[in-house]
Amino acid sequence: MVSPPASLSTDEKVIEGGAVVAVLLPLPLDQPYSYLLPEDLSAMPGTFVEVPLGKRRLPGVIWKRQDQADIARDRLKSVLRVHDVPPMPDVQRRFITWVAGYTLAPLGGVLRMALSVPAALDPPRPHQVLVRSDQPVSDDLRLTPARQRVIELAEQGFAHPPGVMAREAGVSSSVVKGLQEAGLLQAVSQRPRRSFAVPEGARPGPTLSAGQASVAEALCGKVREDAFSVTLLDGVTGSGKTEVYFEAVASALQQGRQVLVLQPEIALSSQWIERFERRFGVQPAEWHSDLTPAQRRTTWRAVAEGEASVLVGARSSLFLPFRDLGLIVVDEEHDPAYKQEDGVIYQARDMAVVRGQLGQFPVILASATPSLESVLNVQAGKYQLEELPARHGGASLPEVSVLDLRKDRPERLPSGGQSWLAPSLRKAITETLEQGEQALLFLNRRGYAPLTLCRTCGHRIECPDCTAWLVEHRKWGQLQCHHCGYRAPLPRACPSCDETDSLVACGPGVERLDEEVRLLFPEARHLLLSSDTLPGPAAAQDLMRQIQQREVDLIVGTQIVAKGHHFPWLTLVGVVDADLGLGGGDLRAGERTYQLLQQVAGRAGRAERPGRVLLQSYIPEHPVLQALQSGDRDAFLAHEAETRERGFLPPFSRMAALVISAPDAEQADAASRAMARAAPQAEGLEVLGPAPAPLAVLRGRHRRRFLVKARRDLPLQRLLAEWRDRVSLHGSVRLAIDVDPYSFL
Ligand code: ADP
Ligand code: ZN
């Protein structure tokens, strides 16, 4: 009998060989399949196994023992092998089931997120290293200086793979090989070393202010309680939220638990990682899309084995198989990047709370601009509140003013071209630069211009596959679709009327703004920061460092500059189009704009020098802009809550979006009519639609949308699932269900 992996040794739930087991596969299936566990294997619920499916061999997880198999025993296929990795903990299986039930995604589709690195299921192969053998150096061996160096190295106890041995000794690999053949060096296999060092939870952090210390103590108390709780850590940018939640991380580490810190955009959080390293002496494990396959494999396994004690990651890290998770911190909890919009559609912040509840441990949500949902949960007594009202070290908050573009009109540029900067903003930039300080111009729009129009016939250049204008990227000489990635060279003549030199760029993107400030402020050192002009996270990090070290004066950037960075010399932030984002059918448009602009504003004056923020707007009376100017966040949130309550909008109701898509418009319409006929009816339930989605065509597929609003006490998921199951849709038609939608396109 094959002995079970050590991690399975003695457990009451052991499933002996010969039993029938239900194995969940990482495929879009709702149910596990039955397999026979061969006599010579034993397992337990959660064991990772390999099973046959048709001609394939797939990884899967034993979901449970199957007492009544749906097929005759002799027709069952057998489990091929049991992987040598700790089984998926019960709590994670319950989490996967919960997420599938809530999002209406197939159970196996959710498992796929947890099984994203099948290669990690097998232990890494031990690698071969060379050590000094017992054989004495015989007289017939000519001991050249090169050989001698290698032998000395080996005799000092160094064990290296051959290549490294040669490099360390400064000799060629044939020298090492010769010694091995002569029997003086011997190959032995060595288990790979730990990949993640243990963070030093007991290392002291900075001396906290009295306010910070009391918040830190409250958070550490939650960790010691070892029970489920959610705490909203609400503090202005620079108030020390990170410093304070590090204390909670330290507490969890001292209790030997694992910690997950979720970040919205992990690739840009190198500053965070450096800070973590300063505080805890080692780097945390990371999880995001930029990892190499080898890194993914080591990290997944280290999380499963409990070796990685702190992991910082993007939303998908929630599905890693933590062996003993004891704390989750959701940093920037309001950030829309926590919503996953394709595949399994879920909100990672909300699912983190669910994970904490299932695992009975505390969850900390940190933000300077908390989401309305979280604020209302505090008011309802479901979440606790800890506040850090002041910037650390007494740095003042920037002064915010709104510039009315109707009065403070941008003048023409000396070249006669259009300008996007109001005279008072230009003046403020001049003053800032004269004082040797930095200015940031923020515009959340990539590229040169959002629209290219023909002056002769009025034609607007659109994406061939989407209901969207193409955005000019002058840097690449291209027009691009920001929805599907379509790219084409910028044409010389209008594609509609063939007139040459008639196409004009309308509206500004960051490239165009950058062009303007280079013209107006030629002596300044310029920097343009936009995700599409950065080759990767390393480049982003380098540019952030240039700003910090004052190697540039005038920065033009999209929202990638908004996040968490600390720029001591930045004292002026100009928001070029504060109205951008306030329109459209997004129920959170106001809230999001407030959060984003507040966050950008927070870049100004973080050190000794006070900052100021100028917001350019055509609608200065808008409540969002008024709230930013007065700094009265609570009044804004109260107003926002009232508006949503009146409109029966989330979180006062529950919402789901159903998007039907098909290769042609007729199919999409037919399918949406069929769906409409089968729509659920219930007291407290509203079904709006079908209507063409605002992005009526996306990647060539025609889209129709239903919006469902339901009273919070209705069983929304059941109603939706029954609705879906009542209609059988044509094979080419797709239905995407988005529970708690954040995107309304
Ligand atoms: P937040 O996360 O709220 O934006 P941080 O934790 O990043 O705030 O703190 C802002 C800056 O102030 C950081 O550079 C941080 O190291 C520093 N800081 C905060 N609290 C302290 C403290 N008690 N002692 C020393 N430096 C601190
Ligand atoms: Zn497109």
Side-chain angles (χ1 to χ4, degrees):
M1 154 158 181
V2 178
S3 65
S7 48
L8 296 187
S9 49
T10 53
D11 192 291
E12 42 184 328
K13 290 190 291 185
V14 166
I15 305 174
E16 290 90 27
V20 178
V21 287
V23 177
L24 185 63
L25 302 176
L27 301 173
L29 303 165
D30 281 319
Q31 302 279 342
Y33 284 166
S34 296
Y35 286 90
L36 192 66
L37 191 65
E39 292 291 344
D40 62 349
L41 290 182
S42 71
M44 60 192 286
T47 297
F48 290 92
V49 292
E50 187 176 60
V51 296
L53 184 78
K55 289 199 167 67
R56 289 195 285 169
R57 301 164 76 104
L58 288 175
V61 175
I62 295 187
W63 218 241
K64 57 179 188 191
R65 191 193 176 103
Q66 188 80 294
D67 292 323
Q68 285 145 344
D70 34 5
I71 334 180
R73 246 183 110 81
D74 54 359
R75 292 188 45 213
L76 285 176
K77 295 253 174 69
S78 290
V79 167
L80 298 171
R81 64 192 180 110
V82 164
H83 286 287
D84 184 4
V85 64
M88 179 182 279
D90 177 57
V91 61
Q92 202 197 359
R93 280 177 286 130
R94 285 188 287 132
F95 179 57
I96 288 174
T97 307
W98 201 98
V99 172
Y102 189 85
T103 60
L104 294 169
L107 191 58
V110 182
L111 176 71
R112 183 152 64 190
M113 300 196 289
L115 252 180
S116 57
V117 199
L121 296 174
D122 290 315
R125 266 192 247 117
H127 57 258
Q128 301 280 308
V129 293
L130 294 178
V131 295
R132 179 74 176 88
S133 67
D134 307 337
Q135 187 178 314
V137 181
S138 76
D139 296 339
D140 3 330
L141 186 83
R142 209 165 51 79
L143 212 50
T144 59
R147 286 179 163 170
Q148 188 131 22
R149 280 207 298 281
V150 178
I151 290 177
E152 272 168 18
L153 199 66
E155 281 179 349
Q156 285 160 13
F158 288 102
H160 291 302
V164 180
M165 188 70 111
R167 201 170 62 230
E168 292 285 309
V171 302
S172 74
S173 59
S174 60
V175 175
V176 172
K177 197 157 173 236
L179 288 171
Q180 195 181 349
E181 279 161 5
L184 293 172
L185 295 177
Q186 176 190 0
V188 295
S189 47
Q190 190 184 52
R191 265 188 69 81
R193 268 176 293 146
R194 284 180 69 98
S195 316
F196 298 96
V198 188
E200 300 166 41
R203 240 164 101 123
T207 311
L208 299 179
S209 69
Q212 289 174 333
S214 92
V215 171
E217 187 38 44
L219 297 179
C220 293
K222 294 289 169 210
V223 173
R224 283 191 302 268
E225 257 170 42
D226 194 19
F228 170 62
S229 61
V230 184
T231 307
L232 176 62
L233 175 56
D234 176 2
V236 295
T237 333
S239 58
K241 294 186 293 298
T242 313
E243 243 25 283
V244 164
Y245 75 62
F246 274 175
E247 296 305 309
V249 172
S251 284
L253 287 174
Q254 280 167 2
Q255 303 200 341
R257 309 291 301 272
Q258 285 173 297
V259 178
L260 167 61
V261 180
L262 288 177
Q263 293 278 358
E265 265 152 82
I266 186 69
L268 293 169
S269 66
S270 53
Q271 264 195 343
W272 189 94
I273 289 174
E274 280 167 26
R275 273 180 75 177
F276 183 90
E277 194 174 358
R278 278 201 301 275
R279 173 69 176 80
F280 293 103
V282 301
Q283 292 205 346
E286 292 175 53
W287 191 256
H288 49 81
S289 54
D290 288 324
L291 297 184
T292 64
Q295 287 170 323
R296 300 180 82 77
R297 177 178 168 160
T298 349
T299 307
W300 192 97
R301 211 174 158 89
V303 169
E305 289 178 338
E307 183 198 312
S309 26
V310 178
L311 182 125
V312 55
R315 55 188 183 229
S316 62
S317 43
L318 264 181
F319 294 92
L320 287 172
F322 288 93
R323 186 159 202 187
D324 183 21
L325 191 56
L327 172 67
I328 301 182
V329 179
V330 184
D331 207 348
E332 311 286 359
E333 67 93 25
H334 63 277
D335 197 300
Y338 282 122
K339 185 70 193 288
Q340 159 117 351
E341 296 287 1
D342 44 36
V344 178
I345 303 177
Y346 65 95
Q347 187 1 313
R349 180 238 302 148
D350 296 349
M351 295 305 124
V353 170
V354 171
R355 183 66 180 78
Q357 187 159 32
L358 294 174
Q360 288 298 304
F361 59 73
V363 177
I364 298 171
L365 308 178
S367 176
T369 50
S371 61
L372 182 64
E373 278 83 354
S374 296
V375 169
L376 292 173
N377 279 327
V378 167
Q379 286 170 14
K382 289 190 217 157
Y383 295 180
Q384 273 133 70
L385 177 65
E386 293 296 337
E387 288 175 293
L388 289 172
R391 281 190 166 186
H392 175 70
S396 55
L397 283 167
E399 190 191 312
V400 181
S401 356
V402 183
L403 302 184
D404 185 346
L405 287 175
R406 293 169 305 191
K407 298 186 193 128
D408 204 355
R409 282 174 186 275
E411 291 153 10
R412 289 262 149 200
L413 292 174
S415 62
Q418 205 169 350
S419 162
W420 310 100
L421 304 176
S424 13
L425 180 52
R426 277 199 210 177
K427 183 159 155 275
I429 299 173
T430 309
E431 289 162 6
T432 306
L433 295 177
E434 274 168 10
Q435 281 162 25
E437 295 170 356
Q438 294 170 321
L440 163 69
L441 293 177
F442 172 78
L443 176 61
N444 203 14
R445 204 188 256 144
R446 292 184 285 125
Y448 187 83
L451 167 65
T452 305
L453 179 98
C454 172
R455 234 186 324 232
T456 311
C457 72
H459 178 71
R460 297 159 176 227
I461 303 188
E462 287 189 19
C463 174
D465 297 323
C466 305
T467 322
W469 297 336
L470 291 179
V471 178
E472 180 185 351
H473 286 253
R474 197 157 282 190
K475 181 167 171 171
W476 313 118
Q478 275 182 344
L479 292 171
Q480 295 184 3
C481 174
H482 285 184
H483 297 285
C484 72
Y486 171 89
R487 278 144 208 248
L490 188 65
R492 292 274 333 232
C494 169
S496 174
C497 70
D498 225 19
E499 186 72 23
T500 47
D501 297 323
S502 173
L503 295 174
V504 281
C506 298
V510 276
E511 285 182 23
R512 192 170 195 177
L513 192 62
D514 186 53
E515 185 181 273
E516 171 170 350
V517 294
R518 279 173 197 267
L519 207 79
L520 291 176
F521 307 97
E523 302 85 39
R525 292 167 299 171
H526 295 268
L527 178 65
L528 172 60
L529 265 177
S530 166
S531 59
D532 63 314
T533 55
L534 286 176
Q541 192 179 344
D542 184 54
L543 295 180
M544 298 300 171
R545 187 197 50 75
Q546 287 185 24
I547 306 178
Q548 262 160 26
Q549 300 186 352
R550 221 176 161 193
E551 291 167 19
V552 293
D553 309 305
L554 188 45
I555 304 129
V556 170
T558 60
Q559 63 171 338
I560 69 165
V561 293
K563 309 269 155 99
H565 298 281
H566 180 59
F567 302 132
W569 287 93
L570 183 69
T571 55
L572 173 68
V573 169
V575 174
V576 174
D577 186 353
D579 309 337
L580 191 70
L582 284 174
D586 184 340
L587 69 98
R588 294 183 187 82
E591 183 189 349
R592 273 189 188 177
T593 304
Y594 179 85
Q595 287 160 344
L596 181 60
L597 296 187
Q598 182 68 37
Q599 203 164 18
V600 179
R603 298 309 107 205
R606 294 194 67 180
E608 307 76 52
R609 287 159 292 280
R612 58 178 162 157
V613 179
L614 301 176
L615 309 173
Q616 299 197 136
S617 169
Y618 284 100
I619 35 169
E621 63 287 349
H622 194 286
V624 166
L625 301 179
Q626 287 301 316
L628 286 163
Q629 180 161 285
S630 64
D632 193 349
R633 187 190 80 190
D634 294 342
F636 170 69
L637 285 174
H639 169 263
E640 188 68 18
E642 200 189 297
T643 318
R644 297 238 201 125
E645 186 162 22
R646 222 179 317 115
F648 190 47
L649 291 169
F652 297 94
S653 64
R654 302 189 50 208
M655 193 180 255
L658 280 75
V659 174
I660 289 165
S661 69
D664 64 64
E666 289 74 47
Q667 276 178 345
D669 286 329
S672 32
R673 278 194 302 272
M675 286 292 291
R677 281 192 296 273
Q681 286 179 355
E683 162 89 26
L685 186 87
E686 268 177 58
V687 178
L688 310 170
L695 255 172
V697 184
L698 176 63
R699 296 171 203 275
R701 294 183 68 86
H702 294 254
R703 304 165 75 241
R704 304 289 178 267
R705 190 183 67 173
F706 291 91
L707 279 179
V708 181
K709 288 201 274 181
R711 230 174 38 213
R712 296 197 62 93
D713 59 337
L714 290 181
L716 180 62
Q717 274 78 7
R718 185 164 60 78
L719 292 166
L720 293 174
E722 287 169 2
W723 183 11
R724 173 187 63 188
D725 297 342
R726 274 198 294 275
V727 183
S728 74
L729 295 172
H730 188 268
S732 59
V733 176
R734 283 202 290 262
L735 169 66
I737 302 184
D738 180 356
V739 177
D740 304 336
Y742 278 66
S743 163
F744 294 86
L745 288 180

